[in-house]
Amino acid sequence: MLARLSSRPAFRRCAFTGVLTLALLGAGLPALAKTADGPQADLSRFYRQKVKWAACKDPDAPKDLQCGKVTVPLDYAKPGGGTLDLALARYRATGKSRGSVLLNFGGPGGAGVRELASDGKDFMDLTNGYDVVTFDPRGVGQSSPVSCGEGSDQGSAAVDEDTTESSDPKVVLKQLRKAAATCAKYSGPVLPHIGTVNASRDLDVMRQALGDKKLNYLGFSYGTRLGAVYAAQFPKKVGRLVLDGVDTLTEPLSEQGIAGAEGQQTALEDFLNWCVQDIACPFGTDARSAPDRAVQLVRSLDQDPVQTDFGDPFSGQGLVGSISQALYSKQMWPTLERAIASLVEDGDTRAIMAFSSGGTGLPGLPGRRGSGGIVDAQDVPLDNLPAALMAINCADDPDRPTAEQITRNLDGLRAQYEEASPVFGRYRLTEVLMCYGRPRGTDYIRDDVKNVGSPKMLLVGTRGDPATPYRWTVETAQRLGSSAVVLDNKGEGHTGYAPSKCVHTKVNDFLLYGSLPPSGSSCQPDTAEVP
């Protein structure tokens, strides 16, 4: 559920690195933290850090963007063991700074450093009072990126109803277990310690390393899950916290997948209705036949993938993943139309792959990562975004269907997802079933993230959101308790901060001045046309 991606046809290929020094910050550090097993672990060496900022090394990076890193324990239960470096980037405050505001762009699996470098203009207003800081969470981007190599293809093949083998549940289970093992092989030691509970702990280490007593935070989509978990774990450290495009804290992945497929199908049909007004639309000019043409394109690529510049096949499911990201903003529709046209007319995959690539490097190579240090941008595997999305969602979900349940329910699940969306159904079902063969996820989010007792926080829900239904905003606000203030954005698209001037203003007023709108107040849609 990545909140927003650059509307440019390709991501910047920047090497964002920095340096870190350790400095004593004085007494009163949160030196001890409870572990999942109950005993307390000494985290003082991590809370004594101070980020040292430096110019980003890549010459194409914005000149005013600075880069750095922070070190966190690989395993918070054993902080004396291995460590991870997390990549950071910031734009400095233009005037007197009240500290930092941290941004998470969603996903899960979205690399914040690359996103802020590519499209930081939406957040320049916040530099009136803050250093605007973002980060690549553990397992994402330059922060020990996970990969599945060919594991994603194995998982997709397992649920392909068009193959003879996938009709045998025993073969499906075998392929899913193989896919999980492949992801573990390519991802390295970070994989068992990925997930939002640990990412939230990392967030608190960042807060201290940035010199902030309280966390000021703006999270989009999945970033709202991370912000809610932080509020539950560290309620006394919450400053001004905004959650935009609010994620669910309770629905199992199977239900999330169906809701996501339905929302994406609606967004695709809106895009097609717009596209067919253009004679150059790759789906023709007939609104009635365009949806069928989209399904046919996906299926034809699944049967006969196109070779990419990296020598790997680009399948129909790869196309679905790219489209799913592009549909989150109407501003990206023209770029999406041109990218699909390049694919259809010339077999050129570069533009369409730019929407969903998690990196710029070759597909994951076993053993290339796992040292814990910052990874160069060119070594981030291409599948990092979907690999991290699956890994984090699986780590956050305690449900694991048994072999018997999958065997009994597979045909019914296929039918449900196909009904929800003939284009996105299989893709979303693959994401859900890829948790099979992985360790059971945490109960913490579903059971304990409620009635958080933090200061007031702002939750923004958009009525026409294709990825995070508005009802999730209402349900999450009820779970979080009296701390939650809801802003009802009556517009379209995923999240409200970028597309809605009203939402943008109200969020900035809260972050910069502490001015909260009344709970239940609303923003009307902007009247701007799609370019």
Side-chain angles (χ1 to χ4, degrees), residues 140-269:
V140 174
Q142 296 177 259
S143 302
S144 299
V146 296
S147 173
C148 283
E150 69 270 19
S152 295
D153 292 336
Q154 294 165 350
S156 180
V159 298
D160 185 356
E161 61 186 346
D162 294 328
T163 63
T164 303
E165 291 80 3
S166 65
S167 63
D168 183 349
K170 291 182 180 179
V171 174
V172 171
L173 296 173
K174 182 178 179 179
Q175 288 180 303
L176 290 172
R177 282 193 294 266
K178 183 179 179 181
T182 302
C183 292
K185 178 180 74 171
Y186 279 75
S187 294
V190 69
L191 187 61
H193 305 287
I194 206 169
T196 304
V197 171
N198 279 336
S200 172
R201 292 167 174 167
D202 295 342
L203 202 56
D204 198 58
V205 174
M206 291 179 217
R207 174 197 59 77
Q208 183 76 21
L210 292 168
D212 294 331
K213 293 182 179 180
K214 303 282 187 179
L215 177 72
N216 301 305
Y217 177 84
L218 173 54
F220 300 98
S221 195
Y222 161 77
T224 69
R225 188 196 312 170
L226 177 58
V229 170
Y230 184 90
Q233 287 185 313
F234 305 99
K236 295 183 180 179
K237 297 296 183 181
V238 172
R240 295 173 185 174
L241 192 145
V242 179
L243 311 180
D244 184 4
V246 182
D247 201 356
T248 179
L249 299 175
T250 57
E251 287 193 3
L253 282 178
S254 56
E255 295 181 21
Q256 292 182 45
I258 291 174
E262 289 174 340
Q264 288 173 318
Q265 183 67 30
T266 298
L268 174 63
E269 290 169 2

Side-chain angles (χ1 to χ4, degrees), residues 273-345:
N273 286 335
W274 169 85
C275 183
V276 297
Q277 305 302 314
D278 182 1
I279 194 172
C281 178
F283 299 105
T285 57
D286 183 357
R288 293 170 297 179
S289 63
D292 290 336
R293 289 192 174 198
V295 173
Q296 291 168 5
L297 177 60
V298 171
R299 290 179 177 173
S300 67
L301 284 172
D302 278 333
Q303 293 172 0
D304 187 17
V306 176
Q307 293 300 308
T308 69
D309 289 346
F310 293 96
D312 293 299
F314 182 73
S315 69
Q317 297 311 296
L319 174 62
V320 171
S322 294
I323 292 175
S324 69
Q325 296 299 330
L327 290 177
Y328 284 157
S329 170
K330 288 184 177 180
Q331 298 301 313
M332 297 165 75
W333 286 4
T335 306
L336 175 61
E337 179 188 13
R338 292 191 295 270
I340 296 176
S342 294
L343 173 66
V344 172
E345 296 168 9

Side-chain angles (χ1 to χ4, degrees), residues 16 32 34 77 87 90 92 102 114 150 173 193 195 242 251 262 267 331 371 384 415 424 438 444 449 458 481 489 491:
F16 300 100
L32 298 177
K34 290 184 178 180
R90 77 167 179 181
R92 297 191 66 180
L102 271 80
R114 184 189 64 233
E150 69 270 19
L173 296 173
H193 305 287
V242 179
E251 287 193 3
E262 289 174 340
Q331 298 301 313
S371 63
N384 178 239
F424 299 99
R438 298 183 186 229
Y444 179 81
V449 181
L458 181 60
N489 177 30

Side-chain angles (χ1 to χ4, degrees), residues 274 330-331 333 491-492 498-501 524-531:
W274 169 85
K330 288 184 177 180
Q331 298 301 313
W333 286 4
E492 301 290 328
S500 168
K501 294 177 182 178
Q524 298 302 314
D526 289 348
T527 57
E529 298 270 337
V530 177

